[in-house]
Amino acid sequence: MPRFAANLTFLFTELPFLERFGAAKAAGFDAVEVLFPYDFAAQEMRARLVEHDLAFVLQNTPPPNWAGGDRGFAAVPGSEARFRTDFDRCLRYAGVLKPQHIHVMAGRAQGAVARAAYLRNLRWACARAPGTTLTIEPLNGGDMPGYFLNDFAQAAEILDEVGAPNLGLQFDAYHAQILTEDVAGAWETYGHRAVHVQIAGVPGRHEPRGGAVDWPGFFAAVDRSGYAGWVSAEYNPEASTTEGLGWLAAARG
């Protein structure tokens, strides 16, 4: 059975942010992730992680908040200085929070110039943080119009070209199903590259149950593959978070 983590940017939002850590633990999660933790004091978050014995799985490189604005700058030509400043800010937070992974967001861009900028910035970031696992994640164009990294084959090519041992694939089953219409096939082809997995139901990005994905089959495939990382719940609950956690109990048998 996979090990499940809770994305506190999406889950338990009925609670103030710092109370979500305890709620996640009480609901049966042993790890959490936060997309953009930069609006909160890192030491306060670290205290909650320690208090509730939670692993911290992942944070994204800035932008600084989830409310709006750009979704990263790694592939945006001319934004190298902004990317590097933001990446160093991310590393300062990571020094306190100790995430297992940092997701390097590509941003909205396209074309060969953007690809070259992305490769340069990823190589720089991997060298800048050699002891940290960085991730890249293909996102579907419906949720993220214009996002540079929008295909799994493209992601595989980027990983091979960068060739850094501390760069891996962030496999989001929600985006994979929308992009390929075959999340099982996408996992079979690209799952060996995955260092982190996220889940949400399709359609709707709600609880991972029913819909277009055979969730028991997907979880079984993840187990069979030997993947040993976390599977993070990154979805919008249809009601309160705790009311919708039947999928977690079912996955655990």
Side-chain angles (χ1 to χ4, degrees), residues 194-236:
V195 296
H196 186 54
V197 174
Q198 294 171 321
I199 54 173
V202 183
R205 204 169 190 174
H206 299 305
E207 284 80 355
R209 59 190 179 202
V213 176
D214 171 11
W215 290 107
F218 177 71
F219 295 147
V222 170
D223 276 341
R224 287 194 304 272
S225 73
Y227 172 78
W230 294 94
V231 174
S232 187
E234 188 193 48
Y235 62 83
N236 297 303

Side-chain angles (χ1 to χ4, degrees), residues 136-200:
I136 60 173
E137 176 190 13
L139 305 180
N140 79 81
D143 285 68
M144 196 67 66
Y147 194 75
F148 176 77
L149 189 62
N150 57 16
D151 179 84
F152 277 85
Q154 174 197 23
E157 291 175 359
I158 295 291
L159 291 173
D160 288 342
E161 287 197 47
V162 175
N166 59 327
L167 182 66
L169 177 67
Q170 186 167 318
F171 186 100
D172 188 309
Y174 168 78
H175 291 291
Q177 177 61 32
I178 294 173
L179 287 169
T180 70
E181 298 184 348
D182 180 14
V183 70
W187 180 260
E188 182 177 353
T189 304
Y190 302 105
H192 67 285
R193 297 177 179 270
V195 296
H196 186 54
V197 174
Q198 294 171 321
I199 54 173

